[in-house]
Amino acid sequence: MTDRLPLTTALAPAPLSSFSAGVRAGNIVQVAGQGPLDAGSGTVLHPDDVGAQTTATLERVRDILRSGGADVSDLIMLRVYLTDRSHFAPMNSAYEEFMATHLGDGVPPARTTVMVGLPLDEMLVEIDALAVLTDDQSSNHTAESQEIPDRIGEAR
């Protein structure tokens, strides 16, 4: 059985409930649904601006990926949850800009977008992610090699 390691980082807020912000199992990194929350206070960032909330949320996803030895280029799937259909265009614009910055000419991940209710009224977007590391990354690229204060399996 593959060891499963919980992922945490000081760059993202603690989960709102009893689950891990992310989990690494072998070469798979799963990031739980993230929102546009301030890492220190847990308050919602950028009220009423779904584009800015999308960027902030993607940054949280990226930070948790990095804590598991992955990065945006390792993503194979993202699920985006929006509270209102009218938010799709500004979310998509911010998403495209973020991916262009972090992927360049790389292959963009698959994505599903759904309309839902979210845990906090001010949250307009939530995103979860799945990344797969290559065998080389699995053995050589660990959170300890990152230049950000992340650790695999360290409790917050």
Side-chain angles (χ1 to χ4, degrees):
M1 182 170 146
T2 302
D3 288 335
R4 294 185 309 160
L5 302 169
L7 305 179
T8 62
T9 175
L11 301 175
L16 296 175
S17 189
S18 58
F19 56 87
S20 298
V23 174
R24 179 168 172 175
N27 67 336
I28 297 172
V29 178
Q30 174 68 53
V31 177
Q34 298 298 308
L37 303 178
D38 179 78
S41 68
T43 59
V44 176
L45 300 170
H46 316 293
D48 301 319
D49 185 342
V50 72
Q53 284 196 9
T54 299
T55 300
T57 300
L58 287 166
E59 289 168 351
R60 300 301 168 268
V61 167
R62 179 203 58 209
D63 295 339
I64 295 166
L65 286 168
R66 288 179 175 173
S67 76
D71 209 336
V72 175
S73 62
D74 300 307
L75 286 168
I76 62 166
M77 179 66 181
L78 288 161
R79 283 177 292 266
V80 177
Y81 306 92
L82 294 173
T83 58
D84 190 303
R85 186 177 308 276
S86 68
H87 294 156
F88 183 84
M91 174 281 297
N92 200 53
S93 178
Y95 179 95
E96 287 177 348
E97 184 177 324
F98 183 90
M99 289 300 165
T101 299
H102 291 86
L103 290 178
D105 293 331
V107 176
R111 185 183 88 192
T112 299
T113 304
V114 295
M115 309 309 148
V116 299
L118 293 174
L120 301 173
D121 290 338
E122 301 86 6
M123 280 179 61
L124 305 175
V125 63
E126 181 174 317
I127 301 173
D128 68 44
L130 179 64
V132 177
L133 302 171
T134 64
D135 289 338
D136 185 49
Q137 287 173 300
S138 292
S139 61
N140 295 324
H141 191 73
T142 65
E144 285 73 26
S145 69
Q146 298 295 317
E147 293 183 14
I148 56 178
D150 298 337
R151 299 289 179 262
I152 295 177
E154 184 177 281
R156 272 191 86 148

